[in-house]
Amino acid sequence: MDLPKYKRGIQQEYDKSPLALEEKILFAIRTIADFRGASVGGIQSFLAQNYKITNKKLSKNTIQNLYENKILSVGSGTSSTNHRFLIVGDPLLTPPDDQVVTITNMGLIGHGAEADIGNLVEVALTARLAESEVIFDQQASYKFMVGNGEVVRGLEVGVLGMKVGGSRYLYIPNKVGYGHKGLPGLVPPDADLKIDVKLLSVKVEEEVEVEVEVEVEVEAEKAEEEEEEEDEDEDEDDAMGQFKPGK
């Protein structure tokens, strides 16, 4: 993989001396520089192409250990089938403008524990199409695990940091909503969303267990260019495929 010129010098410095696998994984995450977090497959591809490390079980176990030792945290792009990781303490990267969720607090801020990745939250919500203001879903009580890909990514991002009793107005761009596929019969393709959400409860898990799955060998050997071409469609499937209005 050819790195941008400004990163090649950094990599050359890393290549001058033998590094522990942990350090190479951290370097991979920082080089990938995805605001959603680096995927396990992306990290493994980086290790294979830049360090000739092809033992996927070893890299998977090392990533798991880094997470368990709180060196890595779960990224906002994590879903039930695609785990992404960020480095604890590193500054958060800014998402592209067309993926920024606009958050406006409404009324009370709330109290108690803040909603975070790995928490089971219960919300009341009203979801509208941004252009027509047509309501396509309204829930008095809806539960989901933050960071598990059960709802659109925009909603997951929007509830982060909320406290019980707090309310927010979210403007969600289509790329972190239903994307170009939409939701047949309810949400047109490429439709932005408006969601009024109130946090009813938060179940804080002391330990969030993340099982990092090893991808099949053929997937590891795919060229990065092919992986990037498919990434947008996969992200949209992860975004809110499980959120079924009226459930």
Side-chain angles (χ1 to χ4, degrees):
M1 179 183 72
D2 291 330
L3 292 174
K5 289 183 179 179
Y6 73 94
K7 290 181 179 175
R8 290 177 190 164
I10 301 176
Q11 184 188 351
Q12 289 168 2
E13 289 299 317
Y14 270 67
D15 288 342
K16 286 180 181 178
S17 60
L19 291 174
L21 179 56
E22 290 87 347
E23 293 176 289
K24 291 177 180 177
I25 288 172
L26 298 182
F27 179 63
I29 293 173
R30 290 184 173 124
T31 303
I32 292 170
D34 191 325
F35 76 95
R36 302 166 300 174
S39 68
V40 175
I43 294 170
Q44 290 174 332
S45 294
F46 185 95
L47 294 175
Q49 295 177 32
N50 291 279
Y51 298 111
K52 310 304 180 187
I53 298 173
T54 57
N55 188 328
K56 300 184 74 176
K57 183 176 180 180
L58 176 62
S59 60
K60 183 265 291 187
N61 289 338
T62 305
I63 292 170
Q64 185 73 40
N65 288 337
L66 288 170
Y67 173 78
E68 291 175 353
N69 286 293
K70 303 188 185 306
I71 296 171
L72 299 182
S73 62
V74 178
S76 64
T78 288
S79 71
S80 58
T81 58
N82 183 24
H83 294 102
R84 293 177 178 269
F85 295 91
L86 296 169
I87 299 173
V88 174
D90 275 11
L92 294 177
L93 300 174
T94 303
D97 290 343
D98 61 359
Q99 296 185 39
V100 173
V101 177
T102 303
I103 299 173
T104 305
N105 287 315
M106 300 165 55
L108 297 176
I109 301 299
H111 61 277
E114 293 185 355
D116 200 355
I117 290 175
N119 295 163
L120 178 65
V121 299
E122 180 183 8
V123 301
L125 62 83
T126 299
R128 299 178 175 83
L129 302 178
E131 185 174 355
S132 65
E133 295 288 344
V134 171
I135 296 176
F136 68 89
D137 188 35
Q138 199 162 21
Q139 303 279 346
S141 173
Y142 185 82
K143 295 180 180 180
F144 64 92
M145 184 77 75
V146 182
N148 204 36
E150 299 172 22
V151 298
V152 288
R153 187 175 300 121
L155 181 55
E156 290 190 314
V157 171
V159 301
L160 288 176
M162 287 187 74
K163 295 184 177 182
V164 175
S167 297
R168 285 180 175 177
Y169 161 80
L170 310 176
Y171 188 97
I172 300 176
N174 68 82
K175 286 194 174 181
V176 285
Y178 288 102
H180 71 264
K181 295 182 179 180
L183 188 64
L186 293 172
V187 179
D190 301 317
D192 294 348
L193 311 175
K194 292 180 179 179
I195 297 182
D196 296 327
V197 58
K198 181 176 182 179
L199 186 62
L200 303 178
S201 68
V202 177
K203 183 179 180 182
V204 180
E205 302 290 342
E206 292 184 3
E207 293 292 336
V208 181
E209 185 176 351
V210 177
E211 292 294 336
V212 182
E213 298 180 359
V214 182
E215 299 175 11
V216 291
E217 191 67 29
V218 65
E219 292 296 328
E221 297 174 355
K222 285 186 178 180
E224 186 176 17
E225 290 80 7
E226 182 180 348
E227 187 175 284
E228 291 176 351
E229 288 175 1
E230 297 176 353
D231 191 53
E232 183 175 348
D233 285 341
E234 291 175 354
D235 288 342
E236 289 177 357
D237 289 340
D238 288 342
M240 197 171 178
Q242 306 298 318
F243 180 43
K244 299 177 181 179
K247 183 178 179 181

